[in-house]
Amino acid sequence: MFLKGIIIDCCCVLIGTNIGSIIKNYIPSHIKQSMNVIFGIAAIVIGIVSMIKLNSLPAVILALILGALIGEIFSFDKKIKSFFQHILDKLNFNIPEDRDAYMHFYLIVTVTFCASGTNIFGAINEGLTGDFTILLSKAVMDIFASTIFAATLGFSMNLIVIPQFIILTGFFYLSQFIMPFITQNMMNDFISVGGILTFVLGLSIAQIKHISAINLLPALIIIWPCSKFFSIFF
């Protein structure tokens, strides 16, 4: 089965990234800031819409707690930040003097494109049915989002497409093996956790409140057994 939706989404991020990097010096800072806020609010809305699809609230809460504990114990955010910073330095990308603020935003954008609930669910849906409508819709939004984000981050954002393609392709092929064991209620809980992560990302992008979305990523895996457990015993 061909990865149409995944390839289209990745290409849109590449196109938007390079357009934004080229015109970044021509975009006033206040426009960059206001557009980031708008995309943050959009992510919050998408997250809320996804969250209301949950089937088992206790399962979702437990997955978030356990996911956050694992993320904090192993310091996923610090390790991934160090990894990307090392790569950017090796490739001689121009990083502003305020490296911490730059890398903080870089990681937020990375998670937005690589591990949002919509992207992952879209990859799973395409892997199962061949329907890439969800990823196509996401690609339309991503081309604009990547243009605005690249106006701040520059050409280094091109690297984000590599883990984006790997992660979405992984879920694309994995879906055919795991879905015989996944019920609709489990899928709804998964979408809900993805919505919460998208909501958290929106808060960070809009600079309302910073919560490490990277440290919450294990919840996307933990939600499967948690949802199954509560569906059997409660």
Side-chain angles (χ1 to χ4, degrees):
M1 194 178 295
F2 192 59
L3 310 171
K4 292 181 182 178
I6 295 173
I7 292 174
I8 291 173
D9 191 25
C10 290
C11 287
C12 284
V13 173
L14 281 174
I15 293 170
T17 293
N18 287 283
I19 291 175
S21 300
I22 292 171
I23 66 174
K24 61 181 295 186
N25 294 327
Y26 303 98
I27 302 177
S29 58
H30 71 276
I31 292 181
K32 296 179 186 178
Q33 180 65 29
S34 63
M35 291 306 298
N36 283 338
V37 171
I38 293 299
F39 279 113
I41 293 173
I44 290 171
V45 173
I46 293 171
I48 292 173
V49 172
S50 299
M51 281 189 282
I52 62 178
K53 296 181 180 180
L54 67 82
N55 173 70
S56 174
L57 181 59
V60 170
I61 293 175
L62 180 60
L64 287 172
I65 292 172
L66 294 178
L69 282 174
I70 293 173
E72 292 293 337
I73 290 172
F74 291 98
S75 300
F76 286 156
D77 56 345
K78 293 180 182 178
K79 291 178 180 178
I80 295 176
K81 177 181 177 181
S82 297
F83 172 77
F84 274 108
Q85 189 165 311
H86 177 73
I87 297 297
L88 294 179
D89 288 338
K90 283 290 185 180
L91 296 176
N92 295 318
F93 280 107
N94 184 27
I95 300 178
E97 293 183 4
D98 192 350
R99 295 173 69 89
D100 285 339
Y102 180 90
M103 291 308 303
H104 166 70
F105 190 56
Y106 193 93
L107 291 184
I108 292 173
V109 173
T110 300
V111 177
T112 300
F113 290 127
C114 296
S116 74
T118 306
N119 274 13
I120 293 176
F121 177 67
I124 291 175
N125 188 67
E126 183 179 9
L128 288 173
T129 66
D131 181 7
F132 57 94
T133 304
I134 295 174
L135 285 175
L136 185 60
S137 300
K138 186 66 164 55
V140 173
M141 186 172 74
D142 282 352
I143 194 170
F144 292 102
S146 58
T147 300
I148 296 301
F149 294 152
T152 299
L153 297 175
F155 288 105
S156 64
M157 253 186 66
N158 283 301
L159 294 178
I160 293 176
V161 176
I162 298 174
Q164 179 190 14
F165 181 79
I166 293 173
I167 291 171
L168 296 185
T169 300
F171 276 101
F172 177 91
Y173 288 111
L174 185 63
S175 65
Q176 301 175 37
F177 296 98
I178 66 172
M179 284 313 294
F181 308 99
I182 303 299
T183 66
Q184 185 59 52
N185 287 338
M186 292 170 67
M187 179 58 73
N188 288 340
D189 288 339
F190 172 80
I191 294 173
S192 178
V193 171
I196 292 172
L197 290 180
T198 304
F199 180 86
V200 168
L201 288 168
L203 293 177
S204 297
I205 293 171
Q207 298 183 359
I208 297 172
K209 175 68 177 179
H210 171 60
I211 303 171
S212 178
I214 289 179
N215 285 344
L216 291 175
L217 288 178
L220 288 170
I221 305 299
I222 297 173
I223 185 57
W224 301 114
C226 287
S227 183
K228 185 68 173 179
F229 174 81
F230 279 96
S231 67
I232 293 175
F233 295 103
F234 296 95

